[in-house]
Amino acid sequence: MAEGPRILIVDDELVVIKSAERVLKAEGYSVEGAVGGREAILKLEKGGYDLVFTDLKMPEVDGLTLIKWLKKTNPAVGIVIITGYPSQDTIKDALELGIIDYVPKPFTPSVLLDVTERAVEWIKGRKSKEEQTVEEFPPAMAVELDRVIAKYRDTPGSLIPVLQRAQEIVGYLPPVVQKRVAKGLNLSEAEVHGVVSFYSFFTMKPRGDHNIRICLGTACYVKGIEGVLEKVKENLKIGIGETTENRNFSLEGVRCLGACGLAPVMMVDQETYGALTPAKAIDVINSYYAAAAGREPALAGASPEEEE
Ligand code: FES
Protein backbone atom coordinates (compact mmCIF):
# COMPACT_ATOMS: atom_id res chain seq x y z
CA MET A 1 0.00 0.00 0.00
CA ALA A 2 2.76 2.39 -0.90
CA GLU A 3 0.24 4.88 -2.30
CA GLY A 4 -2.19 4.44 0.59
CA PRO A 5 -5.23 2.20 0.72
CA ARG A 6 -8.08 2.51 -1.74
CA ILE A 7 -11.37 2.67 0.13
CA LEU A 8 -14.91 1.97 -1.08
CA ILE A 9 -17.87 3.34 0.90
CA VAL A 10 -21.06 1.35 0.35
CA ASP A 11 -24.39 2.73 1.53
CA ASP A 12 -27.88 3.16 0.10
CA GLU A 13 -27.92 6.75 1.34
CA LEU A 14 -25.86 9.04 -0.87
CA VAL A 15 -25.55 11.56 1.94
CA VAL A 16 -23.67 9.03 4.09
CA ILE A 17 -21.27 8.27 1.23
CA LYS A 18 -20.65 11.94 0.59
CA SER A 19 -19.96 12.80 4.20
CA ALA A 20 -17.58 9.84 4.66
CA GLU A 21 -15.81 10.78 1.42
CA ARG A 22 -15.39 14.37 2.59
CA VAL A 23 -13.87 13.34 5.93
CA LEU A 24 -11.53 10.70 4.53
CA LYS A 25 -10.42 12.61 1.45
CA ALA A 26 -9.47 15.56 3.67
CA GLU A 27 -7.00 13.20 5.37
CA GLY A 28 -5.51 12.11 2.04
CA TYR A 29 -7.30 8.78 1.64
CA SER A 30 -8.32 7.59 -1.81
CA VAL A 31 -12.09 7.07 -1.54
CA GLU A 32 -14.94 6.14 -3.85
CA GLY A 33 -18.59 5.44 -3.19
CA ALA A 34 -21.12 2.81 -4.29
CA VAL A 35 -24.84 3.27 -3.79
CA GLY A 36 -25.97 -0.14 -2.57
CA GLY A 37 -24.54 -3.65 -2.61
CA ARG A 38 -25.14 -4.31 -6.29
CA GLU A 39 -23.12 -1.29 -7.44
CA ALA A 40 -20.44 -2.22 -4.90
CA ILE A 41 -20.07 -5.70 -6.39
CA LEU A 42 -19.73 -4.23 -9.89
CA LYS A 43 -16.93 -1.95 -8.66
CA LEU A 44 -15.22 -4.59 -6.52
CA GLU A 45 -15.20 -7.08 -9.38
CA LYS A 46 -12.74 -4.77 -11.12
CA GLY A 47 -10.40 -5.09 -8.11
CA GLY A 48 -7.94 -2.61 -6.65
CA TYR A 49 -9.68 -1.88 -3.32
CA ASP A 50 -8.01 -2.48 0.05
CA LEU A 51 -10.82 -1.54 2.38
CA VAL A 52 -14.63 -1.52 2.18
CA PHE A 53 -16.96 0.34 4.55
CA THR A 54 -20.43 -1.06 4.13
CA ASP A 55 -23.87 -0.38 5.50
CA LEU A 56 -25.76 -3.53 6.53
CA LYS A 57 -29.38 -2.67 5.75
CA MET A 58 -29.64 -2.04 2.03
CA PRO A 59 -32.30 -3.06 -0.49
CA GLU A 60 -31.53 -5.87 -2.99
CA VAL A 61 -28.00 -6.83 -1.93
CA ASP A 62 -27.61 -6.17 1.80
CA GLY A 63 -24.38 -5.75 3.75
CA LEU A 64 -24.09 -9.32 5.06
CA THR A 65 -24.56 -10.70 1.53
CA LEU A 66 -21.90 -8.32 0.25
CA ILE A 67 -19.49 -9.35 3.04
CA LYS A 68 -20.04 -13.06 2.33
CA TRP A 69 -19.43 -12.45 -1.39
CA LEU A 70 -16.26 -10.47 -0.66
CA LYS A 71 -14.88 -13.09 1.71
CA LYS A 72 -15.33 -15.70 -0.99
CA THR A 73 -14.09 -13.72 -3.98
CA ASN A 74 -11.54 -11.36 -2.47
CA PRO A 75 -10.63 -12.28 1.10
CA ALA A 76 -7.70 -9.84 1.10
CA VAL A 77 -10.03 -6.81 1.23
CA GLY A 78 -10.56 -5.46 4.76
CA ILE A 79 -14.17 -4.81 5.78
CA VAL A 80 -15.69 -2.31 8.22
CA ILE A 81 -19.44 -2.04 8.72
CA ILE A 82 -21.32 1.22 9.10
CA THR A 83 -24.65 0.65 10.72
CA GLY A 84 -27.44 2.57 12.32
CA TYR A 85 -28.73 -0.62 13.95
CA PRO A 86 -25.77 -2.11 15.77
CA SER A 87 -27.70 -4.89 17.52
CA GLN A 88 -25.54 -7.47 19.28
CA ASP A 89 -26.69 -10.16 16.85
CA THR A 90 -25.90 -8.15 13.72
CA ILE A 91 -22.46 -7.22 15.00
CA LYS A 92 -21.86 -10.82 16.06
CA ASP A 93 -22.85 -12.12 12.59
CA ALA A 94 -20.56 -9.61 10.91
CA LEU A 95 -17.65 -10.32 13.29
CA GLU A 96 -18.01 -14.03 12.62
CA LEU A 97 -17.64 -13.23 8.93
CA GLY A 98 -14.31 -11.57 9.67
CA ILE A 99 -14.99 -7.82 9.64
CA ILE A 100 -12.31 -5.59 11.17
CA ASP A 101 -14.52 -3.13 13.03
CA TYR A 102 -17.77 -1.16 12.86
CA VAL A 103 -18.79 2.51 12.78
CA PRO A 104 -22.15 3.41 14.36
CA LYS A 105 -24.36 5.67 12.26
CA PRO A 106 -24.53 8.69 12.46
CA PHE A 107 -20.76 8.96 12.93
CA THR A 108 -18.55 11.88 13.83
CA PRO A 109 -15.46 12.62 11.70
CA SER A 110 -13.17 11.63 14.57
CA VAL A 111 -14.87 8.22 15.04
CA LEU A 112 -14.66 7.54 11.31
CA LEU A 113 -10.99 8.55 11.15
CA ASP A 114 -10.17 6.54 14.23
CA VAL A 115 -11.73 3.35 12.85
CA THR A 116 -10.15 3.95 9.42
CA GLU A 117 -6.70 4.28 10.96
CA ARG A 118 -7.16 1.05 12.90
CA ALA A 119 -8.41 -0.77 9.80
CA VAL A 120 -5.44 0.45 7.74
CA GLU A 121 -3.04 -0.73 10.44
CA TRP A 122 -4.80 -4.09 10.49
CA ILE A 123 -4.40 -4.46 6.71
CA LYS A 124 -0.73 -3.48 6.87
CA GLY A 125 -0.12 -6.00 9.68
CA ARG A 126 -1.79 -8.78 7.74
CA LYS A 127 0.17 -7.97 4.59
CA SER A 128 3.49 -8.07 6.40
CA LYS A 129 2.52 -11.40 8.00
CA GLU A 130 1.79 -12.77 4.52
CA GLU A 131 5.18 -11.54 3.31
CA GLN A 132 6.88 -13.30 6.22
CA THR A 133 5.04 -16.51 5.36
CA VAL A 134 6.26 -16.27 1.80
CA GLU A 135 9.83 -16.17 3.07
CA GLU A 136 9.32 -18.77 5.76
CA PHE A 137 12.37 -20.76 4.64
CA PRO A 138 15.85 -19.31 5.14
CA PRO A 139 17.03 -16.77 2.53
CA ALA A 140 20.06 -18.93 1.68
CA MET A 141 17.70 -21.72 0.65
CA ALA A 142 15.63 -19.28 -1.39
CA VAL A 143 18.75 -18.14 -3.26
CA GLU A 144 19.77 -21.74 -4.01
CA LEU A 145 16.25 -22.62 -5.10
CA ASP A 146 16.10 -19.60 -7.42
CA ARG A 147 19.45 -20.63 -8.91
CA VAL A 148 18.08 -24.10 -9.71
CA ILE A 149 14.89 -22.64 -11.18
CA ALA A 150 16.89 -20.23 -13.36
CA LYS A 151 19.07 -23.10 -14.61
CA TYR A 152 16.05 -25.14 -15.75
CA ARG A 153 13.73 -22.30 -16.75
CA ASP A 154 14.15 -22.84 -20.50
CA THR A 155 14.31 -26.63 -20.41
CA PRO A 156 11.00 -28.24 -21.29
CA GLY A 157 9.79 -30.95 -18.90
CA SER A 158 12.03 -29.75 -16.09
CA LEU A 159 9.38 -29.62 -13.36
CA ILE A 160 10.28 -32.97 -11.75
CA PRO A 161 14.06 -32.37 -11.60
CA VAL A 162 13.45 -28.89 -10.19
CA LEU A 163 11.10 -30.28 -7.53
CA GLN A 164 13.63 -32.98 -6.66
CA ARG A 165 16.34 -30.37 -6.16
CA ALA A 166 13.90 -28.16 -4.24
CA GLN A 167 13.14 -31.07 -1.92
CA GLU A 168 16.86 -31.68 -1.40
CA ILE A 169 17.40 -28.01 -0.60
CA VAL A 170 14.40 -27.35 1.64
CA GLY A 171 13.79 -30.90 2.87
CA TYR A 172 10.16 -30.97 1.75
CA LEU A 173 7.78 -29.14 -0.57
CA PRO A 174 5.42 -26.87 1.38
CA PRO A 175 3.01 -24.59 -0.56
CA VAL A 176 5.46 -21.68 -0.38
CA VAL A 177 8.10 -23.70 -2.26
CA GLN A 178 5.59 -25.02 -4.80
CA LYS A 179 4.46 -21.44 -5.42
CA ARG A 180 8.03 -20.26 -6.01
CA VAL A 181 8.71 -23.13 -8.42
CA ALA A 182 5.44 -22.48 -10.30
CA LYS A 183 6.23 -18.79 -10.66
CA GLY A 184 9.83 -19.45 -11.69
CA LEU A 185 8.95 -22.02 -14.33
CA ASN A 186 5.91 -20.10 -15.49
CA LEU A 187 3.50 -22.90 -14.60
CA SER A 188 0.24 -22.83 -12.71
CA GLU A 189 0.34 -23.63 -8.98
CA ALA A 190 -2.27 -26.34 -9.63
CA GLU A 191 0.06 -28.08 -12.10
CA VAL A 192 2.95 -28.08 -9.65
CA HIS A 193 0.75 -29.22 -6.79
CA GLY A 194 -0.65 -32.04 -8.99
CA VAL A 195 2.86 -33.40 -9.66
CA VAL A 196 3.92 -33.09 -6.00
CA SER A 197 0.88 -34.99 -4.78
CA PHE A 198 1.10 -37.64 -7.53
CA TYR A 199 4.65 -38.89 -6.91
CA SER A 200 5.23 -40.61 -3.58
CA PHE A 201 8.86 -39.48 -3.43
CA PHE A 202 7.71 -35.90 -2.98
CA THR A 203 6.57 -34.85 0.44
CA MET A 204 4.69 -31.75 1.57
CA LYS A 205 5.51 -32.38 5.22
CA PRO A 206 8.93 -31.91 6.82
CA ARG A 207 10.84 -35.16 7.05
CA GLY A 208 13.10 -36.36 9.79
CA ASP A 209 16.86 -36.74 9.45
CA HIS A 210 16.28 -40.41 8.64
CA ASN A 211 13.44 -41.70 6.53
CA ILE A 212 12.17 -45.15 7.41
CA ARG A 213 10.27 -46.92 4.67
CA ILE A 214 8.43 -50.02 5.75
CA CYS A 215 7.37 -52.38 2.98
CA LEU A 216 3.69 -53.23 3.09
CA GLY A 217 3.81 -55.40 -0.05
CA THR A 218 2.38 -58.93 -0.12
CA ALA A 219 5.65 -60.84 0.42
CA CYS A 220 6.53 -58.67 3.41
CA TYR A 221 3.03 -58.91 4.77
CA VAL A 222 3.05 -62.69 4.64
CA LYS A 223 6.41 -62.73 6.47
CA GLY A 224 5.12 -60.57 9.31
CA ILE A 225 5.86 -56.92 8.50
CA GLU A 226 2.69 -55.97 10.37
CA GLY A 227 4.29 -56.83 13.72
CA VAL A 228 7.42 -54.91 12.73
CA LEU A 229 5.39 -51.87 11.78
CA GLU A 230 3.43 -51.90 15.02
CA LYS A 231 6.63 -52.12 17.05
CA VAL A 232 8.28 -49.27 15.11
CA LYS A 233 5.19 -47.08 15.47
CA GLU A 234 5.08 -47.79 19.18
CA ASN A 235 8.80 -47.14 19.59
CA LEU A 236 8.84 -43.86 17.67
CA LYS A 237 5.36 -42.81 18.81
CA ILE A 238 4.35 -41.83 15.30
CA GLY A 239 2.15 -43.26 12.57
CA ILE A 240 2.77 -43.69 8.87
CA GLY A 241 3.29 -40.34 7.16
CA GLU A 242 4.48 -38.70 10.39
CA THR A 243 7.77 -37.40 11.74
CA THR A 244 9.03 -37.70 15.32
CA GLU A 245 8.92 -34.52 17.37
CA ASN A 246 12.71 -34.30 17.49
CA ARG A 247 12.74 -34.64 13.68
CA ASN A 248 15.03 -37.68 13.86
CA PHE A 249 12.80 -40.10 11.95
CA SER A 250 9.95 -40.08 9.46
CA LEU A 251 7.89 -43.16 8.77
CA GLU A 252 6.53 -44.18 5.39
CA GLY A 253 4.64 -47.24 4.21
CA VAL A 254 5.47 -48.37 0.66
CA ARG A 255 4.14 -51.00 -1.70
CA CYS A 256 7.30 -53.01 -2.49
CA LEU A 257 10.95 -52.20 -1.99
CA GLY A 258 12.05 -54.64 -4.67
CA ALA A 259 13.73 -56.97 -2.18
CA CYS A 260 10.94 -59.51 -1.68
CA GLY A 261 13.46 -62.34 -1.22
CA LEU A 262 14.58 -60.63 2.01
CA ALA A 263 11.05 -60.11 3.35
CA PRO A 264 10.06 -58.58 5.65
CA VAL A 265 12.00 -55.50 4.64
CA MET A 266 12.42 -51.88 5.59
CA MET A 267 14.78 -49.20 4.37
CA VAL A 268 16.32 -46.41 6.41
CA ASP A 269 17.45 -43.73 3.98
CA GLN A 270 19.31 -45.75 1.34
CA GLU A 271 20.06 -48.83 3.46
CA THR A 272 17.96 -51.99 3.17
CA TYR A 273 17.31 -54.17 6.21
CA GLY A 274 15.74 -57.59 5.59
CA ALA A 275 14.59 -60.67 7.49
CA LEU A 276 13.28 -58.32 10.13
CA THR A 277 11.66 -59.14 13.40
CA PRO A 278 10.13 -56.42 15.57
CA ALA A 279 13.15 -56.55 17.88
CA LYS A 280 15.62 -56.36 14.98
CA ALA A 281 13.82 -53.32 13.58
CA ILE A 282 14.18 -51.54 16.91
CA ASP A 283 17.89 -52.44 17.00
CA VAL A 284 18.27 -50.83 13.57
CA ILE A 285 16.53 -47.67 14.73
CA ASN A 286 18.63 -47.57 17.90
CA SER A 287 21.78 -47.86 15.81
CA TYR A 288 20.89 -44.52 14.16
CA TYR A 289 20.45 -42.93 17.57
CA ALA A 290 23.84 -44.35 18.57
CA ALA A 291 25.42 -42.99 15.40
CA ALA A 292 23.92 -39.56 16.05
CA ALA A 293 25.30 -39.64 19.59
CA GLY A 294 28.78 -40.38 18.19
CA ARG A 295 28.92 -43.96 19.40
CA GLU A 296 29.87 -46.92 17.23
CA PRO A 297 26.65 -47.92 15.45
CA ALA A 298 25.74 -51.55 15.96
CA LEU A 299 23.86 -52.05 12.74
CA ALA A 300 23.86 -48.89 10.69
CA GLY A 301 24.51 -49.68 7.08
CA ALA A 302 24.65 -53.42 7.65
CA SER A 303 23.27 -55.44 4.78
CA PRO A 304 20.70 -58.12 5.58
CA GLU A 305 23.32 -60.80 4.86
CA GLU A 306 25.76 -59.26 7.34
CA GLU A 307 23.09 -59.32 10.02
CA GLU A 308 22.60 -63.02 9.80
S1 FES B 1 6.90 -57.02 -1.00
FE1 FES B 1 8.30 -56.21 0.39
S2 FES B 1 10.05 -55.95 -0.79
FE2 FES B 1 8.63 -56.66 -2.16
Side-chain angles (χ1 to χ4, degrees), residues 214-221 254-265:
I214 301 249
C215 179
L216 303 175
T218 312
C220 289
Y221 223 86
V254 294
R255 278 286 135 215
C256 176
L257 288 168
C260 310
L262 303 173
V265 177

Side-chain angles (χ1 to χ4, degrees), residues 78-100:
I79 303 165
V80 173
I81 57 172
I82 316 173
T83 178
Y85 312 90
S87 79
Q88 292 292 6
D89 282 350
T90 326
I91 301 291
K92 191 171 150 269
D93 284 351
L95 283 171
E96 276 170 7
L97 286 171
I99 63 154
I100 305 172

